[in-house]
């Protein structure tokens, strides 16, 4: 508010963000039971809305013999069979709500292929955005980031390399900040290292496989990046052995964020224990064994998530195709549930003839403009040849393949020889039981 320095007074959208942040400061310390009770109160309202406005959600309830009110109880909730990515693909527009509360508008759309190369479309609202912003602040607060420092970010969503006077949204809504450097993830790793050496950031945010590429390049040059005080990793699984190696090499701590395009930030690392805390104020995260039962502490199972605040696309018991090891009570005193580690999301870098390497943004390819693609996988066999495995909703003509090839060339930034191989239903897993969207055999 104009003329007011202290106490700071925010108005409009900023006021909602500030109010939410203050509540999150409190709710993180609530006991588990109290949080769970409020989650189910919220879920009852969400399920009521979704049952009225999402034909697919209504059908799910009917098939399971449940009412919307049942979903607001732990027993009823557990009786709803999880929703898979293939279910979302099959539901199409019937998944989305035909109406959304006025105050949640506007609606945006995210397309994501997740960890298994299965593209889905999910709608999000301004409320999802508010929560996403609040959780980014929470991560900054938990890890004591100093906003006056220099900050570099390497992401798939950045299209142009540039420097800016501040850290950008959402931080600049509430705080002054130091300069930032933005680097597209498709930039050759060697060039990334050059840019980072030139800018000298204290903070760096990027995905683990990109960080691994930078570490290799620095080792090759026999010169680590200096001056880093914090690294944040996103998008993929951060393996324990790599974390150790990178923390030692760059002489700094890594805080990892478990997130996805359709769900936002789902879990952040505890600054005290290193466990991941689930963002229980808007997410229910279940870790289930093969029988669909909750895993005990130390057991590994598949991750099923519920977004308590998405009134545009009901993601209730959504099987996101990641795996996690359940955690226990955290010594920090926060009541937010914990996960020891996440498993399963990894990606190789693509290698160009000449040796340049970068993170492949194959999840962003607009396959759907040519043909409905249920699942894809890229296998780079050598410097020139890439095999593209596809499960499609309809047959692809030669002309269709030419269009797909052009989209792939544009995305990868090099005219690789592309061969298409088609599969029915599902693509085979790798011998280690995992699935990667992009495999590099070079
Ligand atoms: Zn903790």
């Amino acid at each position: 508010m104009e003329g007011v320095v202290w106490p700071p007074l925010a108005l409009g959208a900023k006021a909602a963000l500030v109010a939410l942040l203050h509540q999150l400061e409190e709710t993180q310390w609530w006991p588990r039971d109290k949080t769970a009770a409020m989650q189910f109160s919220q879920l009852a309202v969400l399920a009521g809305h979704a049952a009225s406005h999402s034909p697919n959600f209504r059908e799910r309830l009917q098939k399971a013999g449940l009412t919307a009110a049942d979903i607001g109880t732990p027993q009823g909730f557990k009786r709803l069979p999880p929703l898979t990515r293939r279910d979302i693909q099959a539901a199409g527009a019937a998944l989305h709500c035909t109406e959304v509360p006025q105050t949640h508008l506007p609606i945006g759309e995210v397309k994501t292929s997740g960890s298994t190369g299965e593209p889905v479309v999910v709608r999000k609202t301004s409320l999802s955005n508010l929560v996403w912003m609040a959780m980014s602040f929470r991560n900054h607060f938990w890890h004591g980031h100093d906003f006056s420092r220099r900050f570099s970010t390497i992401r798939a969503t950045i299209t142009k390399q540039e420097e800016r006077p501040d850290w950008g949204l959402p931080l600049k809504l509430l705080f002054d900040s130091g300069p930032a450097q933005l680097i597209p993830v498709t930039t050759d790793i060697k060039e990334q290292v050059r840019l980072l050496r030139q800018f000298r950031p204290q903070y760096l945010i990027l995905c683990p496989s990109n960080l691994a590429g930078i570490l290799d390049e620095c080792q090759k040059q026999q010169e680590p990046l200096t001056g880093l005080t914090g690294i944040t990793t996103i998008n993929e699984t951060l393996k324990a052995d790599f974390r150790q190696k990178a923390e030692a090499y760059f002489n700094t701590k890594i805080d990892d964020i478990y997130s996805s395009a359709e769900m936002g930030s789902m879990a952040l690392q505890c600054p005290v224990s290193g466990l991941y805390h689930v963002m229980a104020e808007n997410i229910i995260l279940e870790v289930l064994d093969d029988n669909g039962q909750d895993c005990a502490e130390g057991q590994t199972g598949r991750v099923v998530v519920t977004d308590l605040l998405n009134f545009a696309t009901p993601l209730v018991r959504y099987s996101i195709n990641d795996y996690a090891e359940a955690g226990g009570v955290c010594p920090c005193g926060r009541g937010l549930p914990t996960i020891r580690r996440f498993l399963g999301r990894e990606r190789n870098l693509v290698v160009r003839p000449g040796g340049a390497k970068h993170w492949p943004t194959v999840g962003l390819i607009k396959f759907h403009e040519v043909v409905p693609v249920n699942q894809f996988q890229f296998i780079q066999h050598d410097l020139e040849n890439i095999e593209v495995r596809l499960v499609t909703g309809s047959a692809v003509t030669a002309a269709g393949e030419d269009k797909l090839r052009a989209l792939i060339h544009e995305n990868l930034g090099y005219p690789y020889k592309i061969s298409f191989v088609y599969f029915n239903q599902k693509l085979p897993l790798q011998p280690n039981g995992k699935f990667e969207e992009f495999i590099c055999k070079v």
Side-chain angles (χ1 to χ4, degrees), residues 354-376:
K357 282 184 196 174
H358 65 85
W359 196 83
T361 53
V362 291
L364 300 177
I365 297 175
K366 292 171 181 161
F367 294 113
H368 63 276
E369 288 180 356
V370 182
V371 66
V373 167
N374 295 327
Q375 196 177 18
F376 68 81

Side-chain angles (χ1 to χ4, degrees), residues 142 269-277 329-334 336 338:
W142 280 10
Q269 273 204 291
C270 176
V272 175
S273 66
L275 291 168
Y276 291 81
H277 280 294
V329 175
C330 187
C332 74
R334 289 180 179 84
L336 300 171
T338 67

Side-chain angles (χ1 to χ4, degrees), residues 282-433:
N282 74 311
I283 301 276
I284 295 177
L285 191 151
E286 304 167 78
V287 181
L288 303 178
D289 65 17
D290 289 341
N291 301 317
Q293 302 298 311
D294 284 317
C295 285
E297 183 180 351
Q299 270 187 314
T300 297
R302 72 191 165 114
V303 177
V304 171
V305 285
T306 298
D307 186 332
L308 297 171
L309 297 175
N310 188 342
F311 282 65
T313 300
L315 295 171
V316 179
R317 303 205 86 205
Y318 165 43
S319 184
I320 196 164
N321 281 340
D322 285 329
Y323 287 80
E325 184 183 326
V329 175
C330 187
C332 74
R334 289 180 179 84
L336 300 171
T338 67
I339 297 295
R340 273 198 204 157
R341 61 193 180 118
F342 290 94
L343 304 105
R345 269 200 252 171
E346 289 156 39
R347 189 175 289 188
N348 295 165
L349 301 181
V350 57
V351 187
R352 289 195 192 173
K357 282 184 196 174
H358 65 85
W359 196 83
T361 53
V362 291
L364 300 177
I365 297 175
K366 292 171 181 161
F367 294 113
H368 63 276
E369 288 180 356
V370 182
V371 66
V373 167
N374 295 327
Q375 196 177 18
F376 68 81
Q377 184 177 46
F378 286 64
I379 303 174
Q380 182 173 20
H381 290 287
D382 53 48
L383 290 174
E384 293 286 347
N385 288 284
I386 294 181
E387 174 185 337
V388 177
R389 297 181 163 191
L390 294 174
V391 178
T392 59
S394 55
V396 185
T397 60
E401 283 193 350
D402 287 345
K403 279 185 200 158
L404 287 177
R405 204 171 274 118
L407 287 173
I408 293 166
H409 286 163
E410 189 192 332
N411 180 273
L412 292 175
Y414 182 82
Y416 295 97
K417 289 189 189 107
I418 305 289
S419 54
F420 293 100
V421 182
Y422 298 94
F423 287 78
N424 289 322
Q425 306 293 328
K426 218 151 178 89
L427 295 178
L429 298 176
Q430 289 136 239
N432 61 5

